[in-house]
Amino acid sequence: MLFNLRILLNKAALRNGHSFTVRNYRCGQPLQNKVQLKGRDLLTLKNFTGEEIKYMLWLSADLKYRIKQKGEYLPLLQGKSLGMIFEKRSTRTRLSTETGFALLGGHPCFLTTQDIHLGVNESLMDTARVLSSMTDAVLARVYKQSDLDILAKEASIPIINGLSDLYHPIQILADYLTLQEHYGSLKGLTLSWIGDGNNILHSIMMSAAKFGMHLQVATPKGYEPDPSITKLAEQYTKENGTKLSLMNDPLEAARGGNVLITDTWISMGQEEEKKKRLQAFQGYQVTMKMAKVAASDWTFLHCLPRKPEEVDDEVFYSPRSLVFPEAENRKWTIMAVMVSLLTDYSPQLQKPKF
């Protein structure tokens, strides 16, 4: 009880920490839109308002502009360290986080299952306390969302969801930044999801309506999104005046959609279901036939890695495909997450239109 109280006090202190200056970059000035995320956990976008998510995207655009376009050096995370727990392998999550954190002057420490077994050799509670004493934040890519919840409860530092069975919030931030860059605004867009009712879809469902985006979802029977997440998404839809449609017809889900989105049909840990899943997802490959019924300005997203059965080459490598800018934006958005949770830095770039 005493330790949990100390955790809450530590997180509160971090949120209200003193301002500081790094190499003439002012990091403690008041945030322009009064959003304050310092010290928080990022477990799911369900826990964030539309304005808070927009702030992270604004910060992403700011860092991308200042570092990539202007060539500035911004050591905003100098002296800070990040623990990276990976139960599942990854290319984009690891590269974007390691290079991004280092680019901002911090030190990322990568931990695989060879280094750390969550809840096996040591309890999650003990692991959270040890990591809290040695690092400033933890990004964990895990099998179970419940493990993240325990880590967040017991740690005195921010815990970031790098992927779980239920959510993949940092991927969706990259998707939204990519769409904002392409369309100039997110409000009013119709997203067409064609595929599995998985963690990517869940994260879209927890956030799309907060931007005024509509969502049309097609999944095979038996592969629908989690019912409790669907119920909450319906509530968000009602609150924000948007539309949410769930169906089993991929062509109908693509109809009128501005953005065609799919993902792997077989996630890590589902390899034994491969034959069954490939059969169930027949007809769900994203093709130009689907694109013909989409909006005239349609684009395509896929979080990668991609398999040909999910989307054909004609769509995947077409000028309408945004998959590679989407992959690059994983770096700028995770950098923004780290900066927003660990510093008081305020964006200098004018706030984009959302």
Side-chain angles (χ1 to χ4, degrees), residues 11 14 40-43 81-86 97 101 107-109 111 116 118 127-142 147-148 151-152 155-163 170 334 337-338 341-342:
K11 288 193 173 183
L14 181 58
R40 292 202 26 202
D41 303 308
L42 174 53
L43 305 181
S81 59
L82 173 71
M84 298 172 59
I85 300 173
F86 276 54
T97 304
F101 204 82
H107 178 78
C109 182
L111 301 167
I116 185 170
L118 289 179
T127 296
R129 297 180 183 188
V130 170
L131 291 171
S132 295
S133 71
M134 297 184 182
T135 66
D136 296 283
V138 169
L139 179 139
R141 186 176 172 90
V142 300
D147 286 350
L148 286 169
L151 284 175
S156 59
I157 57 176
I159 304 296
I160 299 116
N161 182 353
L163 176 142
I170 58 176
I334 194 59
V337 168
M338 299 300 176
L341 301 185
L342 293 175

Short mmCIF file of all heavy atoms in Angstrom, two decimals, residues 11 14 40-43 81-86 97 101 107-109 111 116 118 127-142 147-148 151-152 155-163 170 334 337-338 341-342:
data_model
loop_
_atom_site.label_atom_id
_atom_site.label_comp_id
_atom_site.label_asym_id
_atom_site.label_seq_id
_atom_site.Cartn_x
_atom_site.Cartn_y
_atom_site.Cartn_z
N LYS A 11 4.67 9.65 -9.84
CA LYS A 11 4.12 9.98 -11.16
C LYS A 11 3.54 11.39 -11.16
O LYS A 11 3.65 12.12 -12.13
CB LYS A 11 3.05 8.96 -11.56
CG LYS A 11 3.64 7.60 -11.94
CD LYS A 11 2.64 6.71 -12.63
CE LYS A 11 3.32 5.44 -13.14
NZ LYS A 11 2.42 4.56 -13.89
N LEU A 14 6.43 13.76 -11.42
CA LEU A 14 6.97 13.80 -12.78
C LEU A 14 6.10 14.66 -13.68
O LEU A 14 6.59 15.45 -14.48
CB LEU A 14 7.05 12.37 -13.33
CG LEU A 14 7.62 12.20 -14.74
CD1 LEU A 14 9.03 12.79 -14.81
CD2 LEU A 14 7.64 10.72 -15.13
N ARG A 40 2.43 10.28 -17.77
CA ARG A 40 1.33 9.34 -18.01
C ARG A 40 1.82 8.06 -18.67
O ARG A 40 2.89 8.00 -19.24
CB ARG A 40 0.26 10.00 -18.88
CG ARG A 40 -0.43 11.11 -18.13
CD ARG A 40 -1.74 11.51 -18.57
NE ARG A 40 -2.59 10.61 -19.26
CZ ARG A 40 -3.60 11.04 -20.04
NH1 ARG A 40 -3.78 12.34 -20.21
NH2 ARG A 40 -4.39 10.18 -20.64
N ASP A 41 0.98 7.03 -18.62
CA ASP A 41 1.22 5.79 -19.34
C ASP A 41 0.47 5.87 -20.68
O ASP A 41 -0.57 6.52 -20.78
CB ASP A 41 0.68 4.58 -18.56
CG ASP A 41 1.29 4.47 -17.16
OD1 ASP A 41 2.53 4.49 -17.07
OD2 ASP A 41 0.51 4.37 -16.19
N LEU A 42 0.99 5.15 -21.68
CA LEU A 42 0.27 5.01 -22.94
C LEU A 42 0.01 3.52 -23.14
O LEU A 42 0.83 2.81 -23.71
CB LEU A 42 1.06 5.59 -24.11
CG LEU A 42 0.48 5.37 -25.52
CD1 LEU A 42 -0.97 5.84 -25.58
CD2 LEU A 42 1.32 6.07 -26.57
N LEU A 43 -1.12 3.06 -22.65
CA LEU A 43 -1.49 1.65 -22.75
C LEU A 43 -2.50 1.42 -23.85
O LEU A 43 -2.50 0.39 -24.51
CB LEU A 43 -2.06 1.15 -21.42
CG LEU A 43 -1.19 1.35 -20.17
CD1 LEU A 43 -1.89 0.78 -18.95
CD2 LEU A 43 0.18 0.70 -20.36
N SER A 81 17.01 7.27 -19.94
CA SER A 81 17.14 5.90 -20.46
C SER A 81 15.77 5.26 -20.61
O SER A 81 14.82 5.60 -19.91
CB SER A 81 18.01 5.06 -19.53
OG SER A 81 17.45 5.01 -18.23
N LEU A 82 15.69 4.33 -21.57
CA LEU A 82 14.44 3.65 -21.88
C LEU A 82 14.65 2.15 -21.85
O LEU A 82 15.55 1.62 -22.51
CB LEU A 82 13.95 4.06 -23.28
CG LEU A 82 12.74 3.31 -23.82
CD1 LEU A 82 11.47 3.73 -23.06
CD2 LEU A 82 12.56 3.55 -25.32
N GLY A 83 13.83 1.45 -21.08
CA GLY A 83 13.83 0.00 -21.10
C GLY A 83 12.88 -0.49 -22.18
O GLY A 83 11.73 -0.05 -22.24
N MET A 84 13.36 -1.38 -23.05
CA MET A 84 12.55 -1.90 -24.16
C MET A 84 12.38 -3.41 -23.97
O MET A 84 13.32 -4.18 -24.17
CB MET A 84 13.22 -1.60 -25.49
CG MET A 84 13.37 -0.12 -25.79
SD MET A 84 14.39 0.19 -27.27
CE MET A 84 13.44 -0.69 -28.52
N ILE A 85 11.18 -3.84 -23.58
CA ILE A 85 10.90 -5.26 -23.36
C ILE A 85 10.18 -5.82 -24.58
O ILE A 85 9.09 -5.36 -24.93
CB ILE A 85 10.02 -5.45 -22.11
CG1 ILE A 85 10.73 -4.90 -20.87
CG2 ILE A 85 9.68 -6.92 -21.92
CD1 ILE A 85 9.87 -4.90 -19.63
N PHE A 86 10.78 -6.79 -25.25
CA PHE A 86 10.20 -7.36 -26.47
C PHE A 86 9.98 -8.87 -26.31
O PHE A 86 10.91 -9.65 -26.45
CB PHE A 86 11.12 -7.09 -27.66
CG PHE A 86 10.94 -5.74 -28.29
CD1 PHE A 86 11.03 -4.58 -27.53
CD2 PHE A 86 10.65 -5.60 -29.63
CE1 PHE A 86 10.85 -3.33 -28.08
CE2 PHE A 86 10.48 -4.36 -30.21
CZ PHE A 86 10.58 -3.22 -29.43
N THR A 97 11.98 3.03 -32.26
CA THR A 97 12.16 3.41 -30.86
C THR A 97 13.64 3.60 -30.51
O THR A 97 14.00 4.61 -29.89
CB THR A 97 11.54 2.34 -29.93
OG1 THR A 97 10.16 2.15 -30.28
CG2 THR A 97 11.63 2.78 -28.49
N PHE A 101 14.87 7.40 -29.90
CA PHE A 101 15.26 7.77 -28.54
C PHE A 101 16.71 8.24 -28.51
O PHE A 101 17.05 9.23 -27.84
CB PHE A 101 15.07 6.58 -27.60
CG PHE A 101 14.89 6.94 -26.16
CD1 PHE A 101 13.65 7.35 -25.68
CD2 PHE A 101 15.94 6.89 -25.27
CE1 PHE A 101 13.46 7.69 -24.35
CE2 PHE A 101 15.79 7.23 -23.93
CZ PHE A 101 14.53 7.63 -23.48
N HIS A 107 19.25 7.05 -24.02
CA HIS A 107 19.89 5.74 -24.14
C HIS A 107 18.84 4.64 -24.04
O HIS A 107 18.30 4.37 -22.97
CB HIS A 107 20.93 5.54 -23.03
CG HIS A 107 21.59 4.19 -23.08
ND1 HIS A 107 22.58 3.89 -23.98
CD2 HIS A 107 21.37 3.06 -22.36
CE1 HIS A 107 22.96 2.63 -23.80
NE2 HIS A 107 22.24 2.11 -22.82
N PRO A 108 18.53 3.98 -25.17
CA PRO A 108 17.58 2.86 -25.13
C PRO A 108 18.29 1.56 -24.79
O PRO A 108 19.43 1.32 -25.22
CB PRO A 108 17.05 2.82 -26.58
CG PRO A 108 18.18 3.36 -27.41
CD PRO A 108 18.93 4.33 -26.54
N CYS A 109 17.65 0.70 -24.01
CA CYS A 109 18.22 -0.59 -23.62
C CYS A 109 17.25 -1.69 -24.04
O CYS A 109 16.13 -1.78 -23.52
CB CYS A 109 18.47 -0.62 -22.11
SG CYS A 109 19.24 -2.16 -21.54
N LEU A 111 15.71 -5.38 -24.38
CA LEU A 111 15.62 -6.60 -23.59
C LEU A 111 14.72 -7.61 -24.29
O LEU A 111 13.55 -7.34 -24.55
CB LEU A 111 15.04 -6.29 -22.20
CG LEU A 111 15.81 -5.29 -21.34
CD1 LEU A 111 14.97 -4.85 -20.15
CD2 LEU A 111 17.14 -5.89 -20.89
N ILE A 116 14.86 -11.14 -20.14
CA ILE A 116 13.81 -10.91 -19.15
C ILE A 116 12.59 -11.75 -19.51
O ILE A 116 12.15 -11.77 -20.65
CB ILE A 116 13.45 -9.41 -19.09
CG1 ILE A 116 12.44 -9.12 -17.99
CG2 ILE A 116 12.94 -8.90 -20.42
CD1 ILE A 116 12.25 -7.63 -17.74
N LEU A 118 8.88 -11.92 -18.37
CA LEU A 118 7.87 -11.26 -17.55
C LEU A 118 7.04 -12.27 -16.78
O LEU A 118 6.41 -13.16 -17.36
CB LEU A 118 6.96 -10.40 -18.42
CG LEU A 118 7.57 -9.12 -19.02
CD1 LEU A 118 6.56 -8.40 -19.88
CD2 LEU A 118 8.06 -8.19 -17.91
N THR A 127 9.57 -6.72 -11.21
CA THR A 127 10.19 -6.21 -12.44
C THR A 127 9.87 -4.72 -12.60
O THR A 127 10.75 -3.92 -12.93
CB THR A 127 9.69 -6.98 -13.67
OG1 THR A 127 10.10 -8.35 -13.57
CG2 THR A 127 10.25 -6.39 -14.95
N ALA A 128 8.63 -4.34 -12.36
CA ALA A 128 8.22 -2.94 -12.50
C ALA A 128 9.01 -2.04 -11.54
O ALA A 128 9.43 -0.94 -11.91
CB ALA A 128 6.72 -2.80 -12.23
N ARG A 129 9.23 -2.52 -10.33
CA ARG A 129 9.95 -1.71 -9.33
C ARG A 129 11.43 -1.58 -9.68
O ARG A 129 12.02 -0.51 -9.52
CB ARG A 129 9.77 -2.34 -7.95
CG ARG A 129 8.32 -2.34 -7.50
CD ARG A 129 8.13 -2.94 -6.13
NE ARG A 129 6.72 -2.99 -5.75
CZ ARG A 129 6.27 -3.33 -4.55
NH1 ARG A 129 7.14 -3.65 -3.59
NH2 ARG A 129 4.99 -3.35 -4.29
N VAL A 130 12.01 -2.68 -10.18
CA VAL A 130 13.42 -2.63 -10.58
C VAL A 130 13.61 -1.68 -11.76
O VAL A 130 14.50 -0.83 -11.76
CB VAL A 130 13.94 -4.04 -10.92
CG1 VAL A 130 15.32 -3.96 -11.56
CG2 VAL A 130 13.98 -4.91 -9.68
N LEU A 131 12.78 -1.82 -12.79
CA LEU A 131 12.88 -0.97 -13.97
C LEU A 131 12.66 0.50 -13.61
O LEU A 131 13.30 1.38 -14.18
CB LEU A 131 11.87 -1.42 -15.03
CG LEU A 131 12.15 -2.77 -15.69
CD1 LEU A 131 10.97 -3.19 -16.55
CD2 LEU A 131 13.42 -2.70 -16.53
N SER A 132 11.78 0.74 -12.65
CA SER A 132 11.51 2.12 -12.23
C SER A 132 12.72 2.76 -11.59
O SER A 132 12.89 3.99 -11.64
CB SER A 132 10.34 2.15 -11.24
OG SER A 132 9.14 1.74 -11.86
N SER A 133 13.58 1.95 -11.00
CA SER A 133 14.75 2.49 -10.32
C SER A 133 15.92 2.72 -11.27
O SER A 133 16.89 3.40 -10.91
CB SER A 133 15.20 1.54 -9.19
OG SER A 133 15.76 0.35 -9.72
N MET A 134 15.85 2.15 -12.47
CA MET A 134 16.99 2.21 -13.38
C MET A 134 16.72 2.92 -14.70
O MET A 134 17.66 3.29 -15.41
CB MET A 134 17.48 0.79 -13.69
CG MET A 134 17.99 0.04 -12.48
SD MET A 134 18.66 -1.57 -12.96
CE MET A 134 19.11 -2.22 -11.35
N THR A 135 15.47 3.08 -15.06
CA THR A 135 15.13 3.72 -16.34
C THR A 135 14.10 4.82 -16.11
O THR A 135 13.49 4.92 -15.04
CB THR A 135 14.57 2.71 -17.35
OG1 THR A 135 13.31 2.21 -16.87
CG2 THR A 135 15.52 1.54 -17.56
N ASP A 136 13.90 5.63 -17.13
CA ASP A 136 12.93 6.74 -17.05
C ASP A 136 11.58 6.37 -17.65
O ASP A 136 10.57 7.05 -17.40
CB ASP A 136 13.49 7.96 -17.76
CG ASP A 136 14.75 8.48 -17.08
OD1 ASP A 136 14.61 9.13 -16.03
OD2 ASP A 136 15.86 8.24 -17.59
N ALA A 137 11.55 5.32 -18.47
CA ALA A 137 10.30 4.85 -19.08
C ALA A 137 10.54 3.44 -19.60
O ALA A 137 11.68 3.01 -19.79
CB ALA A 137 9.87 5.77 -20.21
N VAL A 138 9.45 2.73 -19.86
CA VAL A 138 9.53 1.38 -20.42
C VAL A 138 8.55 1.26 -21.58
O VAL A 138 7.38 1.64 -21.46
CB VAL A 138 9.19 0.30 -19.36
CG1 VAL A 138 9.02 -1.07 -20.02
CG2 VAL A 138 10.27 0.25 -18.29
N LEU A 139 9.05 0.75 -22.70
CA LEU A 139 8.18 0.37 -23.81
C LEU A 139 8.17 -1.15 -23.85
O LEU A 139 9.23 -1.78 -23.91
CB LEU A 139 8.69 0.93 -25.14
CG LEU A 139 7.84 0.56 -26.36
CD1 LEU A 139 7.70 1.75 -27.31
CD2 LEU A 139 8.42 -0.64 -27.12
N ALA A 140 6.99 -1.75 -23.78
CA ALA A 140 6.88 -3.20 -23.72
C ALA A 140 6.00 -3.73 -24.85
O ALA A 140 4.88 -3.25 -25.05
CB ALA A 140 6.32 -3.64 -22.38
N ARG A 141 6.54 -4.69 -25.58
CA ARG A 141 5.83 -5.36 -26.68
C ARG A 141 5.55 -6.77 -26.20
O ARG A 141 6.45 -7.62 -26.13
CB ARG A 141 6.71 -5.34 -27.93
CG ARG A 141 6.07 -5.88 -29.19
CD ARG A 141 7.04 -5.71 -30.35
NE ARG A 141 6.58 -6.36 -31.56
CZ ARG A 141 5.83 -5.79 -32.49
NH1 ARG A 141 5.46 -4.51 -32.34
NH2 ARG A 141 5.46 -6.44 -33.57
N VAL A 142 4.30 -7.02 -25.83
CA VAL A 142 3.97 -8.23 -25.07
C VAL A 142 2.80 -8.99 -25.68
O VAL A 142 2.10 -8.51 -26.56
CB VAL A 142 3.63 -7.86 -23.61
CG1 VAL A 142 4.82 -7.19 -22.93
CG2 VAL A 142 2.40 -6.95 -23.54
N ASP A 147 -0.55 -7.88 -18.73
CA ASP A 147 0.81 -7.69 -18.22
C ASP A 147 1.18 -6.21 -18.22
O ASP A 147 1.83 -5.71 -17.28
CB ASP A 147 1.83 -8.46 -19.07
CG ASP A 147 1.78 -9.96 -18.81
OD1 ASP A 147 1.10 -10.37 -17.85
OD2 ASP A 147 2.40 -10.72 -19.58
N LEU A 148 0.78 -5.50 -19.25
CA LEU A 148 1.03 -4.05 -19.32
C LEU A 148 0.29 -3.32 -18.19
O LEU A 148 0.82 -2.39 -17.59
CB LEU A 148 0.58 -3.49 -20.66
CG LEU A 148 1.45 -3.81 -21.87
CD1 LEU A 148 0.73 -3.42 -23.15
CD2 LEU A 148 2.78 -3.09 -21.79
N LEU A 151 2.23 -3.83 -15.01
CA LEU A 151 3.45 -3.02 -15.04
C LEU A 151 3.13 -1.55 -14.74
O LEU A 151 3.82 -0.89 -13.96
CB LEU A 151 4.13 -3.13 -16.40
CG LEU A 151 4.91 -4.42 -16.69
CD1 LEU A 151 5.40 -4.41 -18.13
CD2 LEU A 151 6.09 -4.58 -15.73
N ALA A 152 2.09 -1.04 -15.38
CA ALA A 152 1.71 0.36 -15.19
C ALA A 152 1.26 0.63 -13.75
O ALA A 152 1.56 1.69 -13.18
CB ALA A 152 0.61 0.74 -16.16
N ALA A 155 4.68 0.37 -11.56
CA ALA A 155 5.83 1.20 -11.90
C ALA A 155 5.59 2.65 -11.50
O ALA A 155 4.46 3.13 -11.46
CB ALA A 155 6.12 1.12 -13.39
N SER A 156 6.67 3.36 -11.24
CA SER A 156 6.59 4.80 -10.94
C SER A 156 7.02 5.63 -12.15
O SER A 156 7.18 6.84 -12.04
CB SER A 156 7.48 5.12 -9.74
OG SER A 156 8.83 4.76 -10.00
N ILE A 157 7.22 4.98 -13.29
CA ILE A 157 7.62 5.64 -14.53
C ILE A 157 6.59 5.33 -15.61
O ILE A 157 5.81 4.38 -15.48
CB ILE A 157 9.02 5.16 -14.98
CG1 ILE A 157 9.02 3.63 -15.15
CG2 ILE A 157 10.09 5.62 -13.99
CD1 ILE A 157 10.31 3.05 -15.68
N PRO A 158 6.56 6.10 -16.70
CA PRO A 158 5.61 5.83 -17.78
C PRO A 158 5.84 4.46 -18.44
O PRO A 158 6.98 4.07 -18.71
CB PRO A 158 5.87 6.96 -18.78
CG PRO A 158 6.44 8.07 -17.95
CD PRO A 158 7.28 7.38 -16.91
N ILE A 159 4.75 3.75 -18.70
CA ILE A 159 4.78 2.48 -19.42
C ILE A 159 4.08 2.69 -20.76
O ILE A 159 2.96 3.21 -20.81
CB ILE A 159 4.06 1.36 -18.63
CG1 ILE A 159 4.69 1.21 -17.24
CG2 ILE A 159 4.11 0.06 -19.41
CD1 ILE A 159 6.13 0.77 -17.24
N ILE A 160 4.74 2.29 -21.85
CA ILE A 160 4.20 2.48 -23.19
C ILE A 160 3.94 1.13 -23.83
O ILE A 160 4.79 0.24 -23.80
CB ILE A 160 5.17 3.30 -24.08
CG1 ILE A 160 5.38 4.69 -23.47
CG2 ILE A 160 4.65 3.43 -25.49
CD1 ILE A 160 6.78 4.95 -23.04
N ASN A 161 2.77 0.99 -24.40
CA ASN A 161 2.37 -0.24 -25.09
C ASN A 161 3.00 -0.28 -26.48
O ASN A 161 2.62 0.48 -27.36
CB ASN A 161 0.85 -0.30 -25.19
CG ASN A 161 0.35 -1.57 -25.85
OD1 ASN A 161 1.12 -2.38 -26.36
ND2 ASN A 161 -0.96 -1.75 -25.86
N GLY A 162 3.98 -1.20 -26.67
CA GLY A 162 4.60 -1.37 -27.98
C GLY A 162 3.86 -2.37 -28.84
O GLY A 162 4.21 -2.56 -29.99
N LEU A 163 2.86 -3.00 -28.30
CA LEU A 163 1.94 -3.95 -28.94
C LEU A 163 1.51 -4.95 -27.88
O LEU A 163 2.30 -5.38 -27.05
CB LEU A 163 2.59 -4.69 -30.11
CG LEU A 163 1.74 -5.79 -30.80
CD1 LEU A 163 1.96 -5.78 -32.31
CD2 LEU A 163 2.08 -7.17 -30.23
N ILE A 170 0.72 2.84 -30.73
CA ILE A 170 1.77 3.63 -31.38
C ILE A 170 1.75 3.45 -32.89
O ILE A 170 2.19 4.33 -33.63
CB ILE A 170 3.17 3.31 -30.81
CG1 ILE A 170 3.52 1.84 -30.96
CG2 ILE A 170 3.23 3.73 -29.33
CD1 ILE A 170 4.93 1.50 -30.50
N ILE A 334 6.75 7.83 -32.30
CA ILE A 334 7.23 7.29 -31.02
C ILE A 334 8.15 8.29 -30.33
O ILE A 334 8.17 8.38 -29.11
CB ILE A 334 7.93 5.92 -31.21
CG1 ILE A 334 8.10 5.22 -29.85
CG2 ILE A 334 9.28 6.06 -31.88
CD1 ILE A 334 6.82 4.95 -29.10
N VAL A 337 5.84 10.59 -28.56
CA VAL A 337 5.30 9.95 -27.36
C VAL A 337 6.29 10.08 -26.21
O VAL A 337 5.94 10.48 -25.11
CB VAL A 337 4.97 8.46 -27.63
CG1 VAL A 337 4.70 7.72 -26.32
CG2 VAL A 337 3.77 8.34 -28.56
N MET A 338 7.56 9.75 -26.48
CA MET A 338 8.58 9.81 -25.44
C MET A 338 8.77 11.23 -24.91
O MET A 338 8.85 11.47 -23.71
CB MET A 338 9.91 9.27 -25.97
CG MET A 338 9.88 7.83 -26.42
SD MET A 338 9.41 6.71 -25.09
CE MET A 338 9.34 5.16 -26.00
N LEU A 341 5.72 12.34 -22.78
CA LEU A 341 5.59 11.66 -21.48
C LEU A 341 6.74 11.96 -20.53
O LEU A 341 6.60 11.78 -19.32
CB LEU A 341 5.49 10.14 -21.68
CG LEU A 341 4.34 9.61 -22.53
CD1 LEU A 341 4.33 8.09 -22.50
CD2 LEU A 341 3.00 10.16 -22.07
N LEU A 342 7.88 12.45 -21.08
CA LEU A 342 9.06 12.62 -20.24
C LEU A 342 9.54 14.06 -20.10
O LEU A 342 10.43 14.32 -19.28
CB LEU A 342 10.22 11.77 -20.81
CG LEU A 342 10.03 10.25 -20.73
CD1 LEU A 342 11.19 9.54 -21.43
CD2 LEU A 342 9.92 9.79 -19.29
#
